[in-house]
Amino acid sequence: MNDYDGLLVDESLEKNIELFKEIFKKDELLRIRVVNVGESKTKIAFLFFDGMVEGSSIDDSLVRPCVTSKDTPRQVDIDYILARVLYAGELSKTKKVSDILRAMLNGDTAVFLDGSFDALTVDTKGWRTRGIDEPSDERVLQGPREGFDEAAILNLAMIRRKLQTPDLCINSTTLGRRTKTAVYFVYLDSVANKKCLEEIKKRMEKIDIDGILDSNYIAELVRDNKTSLFKTTGSTERPDIVAARLLEGRIAVVVDGTPVVLTVPYLFSENFQSDEDYYLNFYIASIGRALRYICFFLSISIPAIFIALSTFHIQLLPTPFMLTVSELRSGVPFSSITECLALILVFEILKETGLRTPQSLGSALSIVGGLVVGQTAVEARIMSAPMLIVVSLAAVAGLMIPRLKGAVFYLRIILAIASAILGLYGFMIVFAVFVISVLSMKSVGVEYMLSLKSPNFQALKDTVIRAPWTKMRLRPPFNRNLVRNRSKK
């Protein structure tokens, strides 16, 4: 549309129609309808794209009012059409062809009047959407069941319904040289961390890309640590989660065309929070929260520690256990690290295959892959039973923390290789490097481990445990200057 920035609407209706026919000469969805305004001989044209507008809206709000208009003057101008004829809710007048193109590509209808140097754009958006449904990856046993849609306007309305306050602010921009994707910043003006808001806006202004088709494009382009295994932007498809994070002072980024909404800043402790922690009793929620931290450590470390003990530090094992492991490993042709890496890859293949196969085949695949193939490999002495148990336990523990799926996979392999080379010393060195790197990370300028660095109860009230609502009176540490928190966390 940059090619038409200096082009203005012509007085001749025929020239305007020919211009848009030429611009969209290879697009067969362009529709043009020309009628007379009432009893006058003045012609008016409606240009829109089939499939992007509401058909009944075109007929009832635009065409019929123009055709049935009574007492029309001989000389009809665009202001008369705007004030006395059209019934549409949102209309705007413009002279620029680029503005008209942008509106039409967003589902609006362009209105041209013969003899006028101005045109109207009318909001007639009416494309089909999936409708409100519970996100498949964020299902809860108790709590709201609604999820976001691909239409950003509907998503913003769902957030507005959760936060019925004039304090809710929504700013918009467009990203993508070709797609011109609408992106919205949503925040509570009196609560939001303004430094984070300015930082995320500054980073988005630097984005230069042909198209934004999903919010992950933005998440990768604005993240603090480009090569880190851990994400520094939150993502969710649930409006209740977005509303809760806005109440804490976070900023939400809504991208048109995707149901996934980003939230910043994003802290390390959020990886261990479940959506329904806040809809269950705090005793039950705290047990689940603590188990996720334990499972994270077990998932990345069990294979590595087992390899280190069975290879370098076998004297640390109890004698009966050492003899059992040695006996079960006898006859296996591969080393411990080879076994471990092979099993990790097999479990990842089975998991990814199960996610992408039809639901009716998923259970059968898991039974065949997990039980039949595993048992056969042990009986054939291709793999040892202890290593199969260790890797299986690590894989099951990793399922407790789906938000760290990628990081857990890589850390599990790196720690296993380090333990195979240097034993427990290698494990401790790599683990220390991991802790230091996480401590140095930031999310839009906020320390990634901020919620876990303070040992006091007030700072840990919503990290390792979920405290009762009566005890959670302060906002998260990055927004502690604003007291009283009645949000989700």
Side-chain angles (χ1 to χ4, degrees), residues 138-159:
E138 297 183 79
R139 294 186 181 275
V140 294
L141 299 176
Q142 183 176 329
R145 306 287 181 180
E146 59 185 2
F148 287 127
D149 195 82
E150 278 73 16
I153 297 299
L154 297 180
N155 296 341
L156 294 171
M158 294 173 73
I159 297 173

Side-chain angles (χ1 to χ4, degrees), residues 443-461:
S443 174
V444 290
V446 176
E447 293 184 52
Y448 195 50
M449 293 285 285
L450 186 61
S451 58
L452 291 170
K453 290 176 67 174
S454 302
N456 59 77
F457 170 76
Q458 191 61 44
L460 299 176
K461 65 186 178 182

